[in-house]
Amino acid sequence: MKTSGWVKLNNGRLMPPIGIGTWQLPASDELVKALVCAIQSGYRLIDTAAIFENEESVATAISECGLPRKELFVSGKCWTSNRAYDDVLRAFERTLQTLKLDYLDCYSIQWPCTKGEPLAWQSINVGTWRAFERLYDEGVVKAIGVCNFQMHHLVSFLARANVKPMMNQIEFHPGYMQKQTLAYCRKEDIAIQAWSPLGHGTLLSSEPLLAIAAKYRRPVSQVILSWCLSHGVTPVIRSMNAAHQKEDLQCFDIQLTKDDIQSMDSLPMTAFSGLEPDHVSF
């Protein structure tokens, strides 16, 4: 994958236009093999998190893939139980040690604090961010970001942040594209990553998407990933299957028409995870 197609973040760093994710994939030899295969197929962005409990497998895959560390973009996340300043720093150090790395390319707050009075949760989010800003200033993280922050979380957050987030990873797929948050992040020059871009797999059997895919003689997955790219969104896929990994990389060869993009934009919400930031239990 050529770096000329990478996404330029607001601090000038480059981020690959597609990533391989590890959510709900237990640590195992099979995961190591799947990640090594993905990297050797062309993926350069590896997305993990401490809460996924598979950072050891990610570390092994990085060491066995045969590529220099500088050619990979490794993202980690800080879980909600580590929102306090010192807890963030300790959690980051554990992640760095487990991944056996000297730095991360991106470290993100995995979920915003949203409970209680607005001034209280807004203060907690910014307090957490202060630790992220320290890690960024120290150079052990090349980019810092957030996950699942919607526009109303970001407005107050950005007003008090010393360093603007470079990335916001959100659930994004046909039928649930969070248009308001997408537009706001574009305005603020915050890159968007998509988790579950295929709608947890349920969109692969969607009749409207099957019809569009048939026009291009391509699998539905490629059409959806191409749709993400058309919106300037970096999809993070999750697949243990080597053939599917390679197949999904062909999404860059598709040029969707404006009508097809608009049609996909207008699909009803059928694949939402139910993980709404203001109502999650964590």
Side-chain angles (χ1 to χ4, degrees):
M1 192 183 301
K2 297 179 181 179
T3 56
S4 59
W6 288 27
V7 177
K8 189 173 184 179
L9 303 177
N10 62 33
N11 67 342
R13 303 285 299 188
L14 295 177
M15 179 178 71
I18 191 170
I20 189 81
T22 60
W23 180 42
Q24 294 182 328
L25 298 178
S28 64
D29 291 341
E30 289 73 22
L31 177 56
V32 172
K33 292 176 183 177
L35 290 174
V36 169
C37 180
I39 293 168
Q40 293 178 346
S41 295
Y43 292 87
R44 295 294 179 265
L45 191 164
I46 306 171
D47 182 79
T48 188
I51 196 67
F52 298 170
E53 298 183 340
N54 55 24
E55 290 176 331
E56 295 89 348
S57 293
V58 174
T60 303
I62 291 171
S63 68
E64 294 182 357
C65 71
L67 287 182
R69 165 68 181 94
K70 64 181 181 181
E71 293 188 19
L72 298 174
F73 190 103
V74 184
S75 292
K77 301 184 185 70
C78 186
W79 186 241
T80 58
S81 58
N82 298 308
R83 287 193 172 110
Y85 186 92
D86 289 339
D87 289 342
V88 171
L89 301 181
R90 283 191 288 267
F92 174 80
E93 187 59 31
R94 286 194 298 271
T95 282
L96 208 59
Q97 290 177 357
T98 305
L99 290 172
K100 300 178 181 178
L101 299 176
D102 297 324
Y103 69 92
L104 288 185
D105 296 277
C106 188
Y107 195 53
S108 300
I109 300 176
Q110 194 157 357
W111 288 89
C113 180
T114 60
K115 302 296 186 294
E117 294 295 323
L119 288 179
W121 60 253
Q122 290 170 10
S123 178
I124 290 172
N125 285 334
V126 174
T128 302
W129 191 244
R130 291 289 178 256
F132 275 73
E133 291 174 332
R134 173 177 168 176
L135 294 170
Y136 180 66
D137 288 341
E138 291 177 351
V140 289
V141 179
K142 304 306 179 183
I144 48 178
V146 295
C147 302
N148 304 298
F149 273 58
Q150 296 174 329
M151 189 180 79
H152 63 286
H153 306 127
L154 287 167
V155 171
S156 59
F157 184 83
L158 293 182
R160 299 166 65 184
N162 296 317
V163 178
K164 181 184 291 188
M166 289 103 211
M167 186 274 295
N168 184 14
Q169 188 186 81
I170 60 175
E171 181 175 0
F172 182 92
H173 49 73
Y176 191 71
M177 58 185 296
Q178 304 199 61
K179 293 181 180 180
Q180 195 175 49
T181 297
L182 178 65
Y184 186 75
C185 286
R186 280 178 177 165
K187 174 178 173 289
E188 294 294 336
D189 194 21
I190 299 172
I192 291 284
Q193 280 186 7
W195 63 264
S196 195
L198 304 182
H200 319 282
T202 60
L203 292 175
L204 299 179
S205 58
S206 164
E207 289 297 333
L209 293 177
L210 285 167
I212 293 174
K215 288 172 51 180
Y216 296 90
R217 298 182 180 179
R218 296 294 192 97
V220 173
S221 61
Q222 289 183 20
V223 169
I224 294 175
L225 297 176
S226 177
W227 171 83
C228 289
L229 297 172
S230 73
H231 284 291
V233 172
T234 297
V236 176
I237 70 155
R238 182 190 60 181
S239 176
M240 298 277 282
N241 185 290
H244 289 166
Q245 291 172 356
K246 294 177 182 177
E247 185 178 80
D248 286 344
L249 286 178
Q250 296 175 29
C251 66
F252 294 96
D253 301 331
I254 303 174
Q255 294 294 323
L256 297 172
T257 66
K258 290 184 178 179
D259 287 344
D260 286 333
I261 293 171
Q262 291 174 357
S263 177
M264 294 173 72
D265 288 353
S266 303
L267 288 177
M269 187 170 67
T270 59
F272 176 45
S273 68
L275 296 174
E276 208 283 327
D278 287 327
H279 299 104
V280 293
S281 60
F282 38 79

